[in-house]
Amino acid sequence: MKKLTKKEVLADIAALPENYKTRHVDALIKRYVKEGCDVSDLRDSVLSEQRLHRIYYYTSLKQLHDPSQRLRFIDENLLFSDWWHTDQLINFVSKADFNEALSYAKRYVEDEDPFVRRWGYVMFISKLCRDRGRVGSIFSLMKNDDEYYVQMAQAWLIAELAVFHSEEAYEFLSNEGTLRYSITGKAIQKICDSFRVSAEDKQRFRALRPALKAQE
């Protein structure tokens, strides 16, 4: 495996077109993956130099084909500085074993870092949430959180579950006192904004607003 230094990666970035776009960075990543490059030298810089964040994660994760190894890599590198850096990893865990992913998530949603907590929810916004038998376990992760970006992740996940499991999502939201309206209200808004939810279901979810809001 060819080990790249941070200096070499920065030189490659400097050679990209001026005002380069994500697609240019992705082309660089594709080359690194094809050449089997080790970019571990970037690890200590991804929080201070965000342009290296995508290169470090994507190059490393694309070379790991075992979903369990990908989960482990992310767990060992919970270096998130904002919502975008968290959410960009969703597709890498979509084929993971659900129970293994859940075991990580149970720990993440209790973490002090809000972006790690966010990851504990958004990691299920993929094929991981589509099996009906998993819905209860995912909803069991939900808890009140003061951080806006965590609340948005919870709302997004609830809305995604509503696409595939409308009845279960409706039952969860209609259980008064489960979550604050700052979360459930956002979830209902996302459900109503979705093109994948029927007009009839949107009306049902929207009708929950008054009772949920009254709890605040």
Side-chain angles (χ1 to χ4, degrees):
M1 181 174 281
K2 177 184 178 183
K3 184 157 187 173
L4 291 177
T5 64
K6 174 184 171 182
K7 183 177 181 180
E8 289 175 309
V9 174
L10 290 175
D12 285 339
I13 292 174
L16 294 176
E18 187 177 358
N19 299 320
Y20 59 85
K21 308 295 184 183
T22 301
R23 62 186 174 85
H24 296 114
V25 176
D26 285 346
L28 187 60
I29 291 169
K30 184 177 181 180
R31 193 190 93 199
Y32 289 160
V33 172
K34 184 176 181 180
E35 296 175 357
C37 295
D38 174 358
V39 293
S40 57
D41 192 49
L42 304 181
R43 187 182 191 279
D44 293 337
S45 303
V46 296
L47 292 179
S48 58
E49 298 185 51
Q50 292 190 1
R51 57 187 175 165
L52 301 179
H53 200 283
R54 187 178 183 88
I55 294 174
Y56 174 68
Y57 275 97
Y58 273 52
T59 302
S60 302
L61 287 166
K62 282 177 177 287
Q63 293 183 77
L64 297 175
H65 302 293
D66 178 12
S68 184
Q69 289 182 335
R70 286 180 169 181
L71 282 172
R72 194 178 313 121
F73 176 86
I74 294 171
D75 186 58
E76 293 170 352
N77 294 274
L78 295 171
L79 306 171
F80 305 140
S81 58
D82 58 31
W83 65 268
W84 188 83
H85 288 115
T86 308
D87 300 356
Q88 66 177 318
L89 302 179
I90 294 173
N91 289 335
F92 287 109
V93 300
S94 64
K95 295 182 180 179
D97 175 79
F98 176 78
N99 289 324
E100 185 177 10
L102 185 67
S103 68
Y104 283 111
K106 287 178 178 178
R107 174 159 48 86
Y108 297 153
V109 298
E110 301 287 351
D111 199 271
E112 293 183 0
D113 187 328
F115 294 113
V116 173
R117 296 202 302 277
R118 181 180 171 94
W119 173 238
Y121 296 110
V122 300
M123 65 190 291
F124 292 103
I125 303 175
S126 66
K127 294 178 182 178
L128 286 176
C129 79
R130 297 185 185 178
D131 188 320
R132 189 172 299 278
R134 299 170 176 177
V135 178
S137 296
I138 295 175
F139 276 133
S140 72
L141 295 172
M142 298 288 174
K143 59 192 67 203
N144 286 311
D145 198 296
D146 294 327
E147 292 289 340
Y148 174 78
Y149 287 114
V150 181
Q151 291 180 355
M152 291 302 293
Q154 292 173 296
W156 184 13
L157 178 54
I158 293 169
E160 186 74 7
L161 288 165
V163 171
F164 301 101
H165 315 291
S166 176
E167 288 303 320
E168 288 82 354
Y170 182 84
E171 182 179 348
F172 176 77
L173 287 176
S174 61
N175 184 6
E176 296 180 13
T178 302
L179 292 174
R180 297 174 192 154
Y181 187 70
S182 57
I183 301 170
T184 58
K186 290 182 178 71
I188 291 171
Q189 186 60 55
K190 284 185 174 292
I191 289 168
C192 292
D193 289 343
S194 175
F195 293 110
R196 298 179 294 165
V197 177
S198 71
E200 180 182 359
D201 277 341
K202 288 179 182 181
Q203 185 175 357
R204 282 205 311 152
F205 281 105
R206 193 180 291 114
L208 291 173
R209 282 186 179 278
L212 293 173
K213 194 171 185 179
Q215 299 172 47
E216 293 294 284

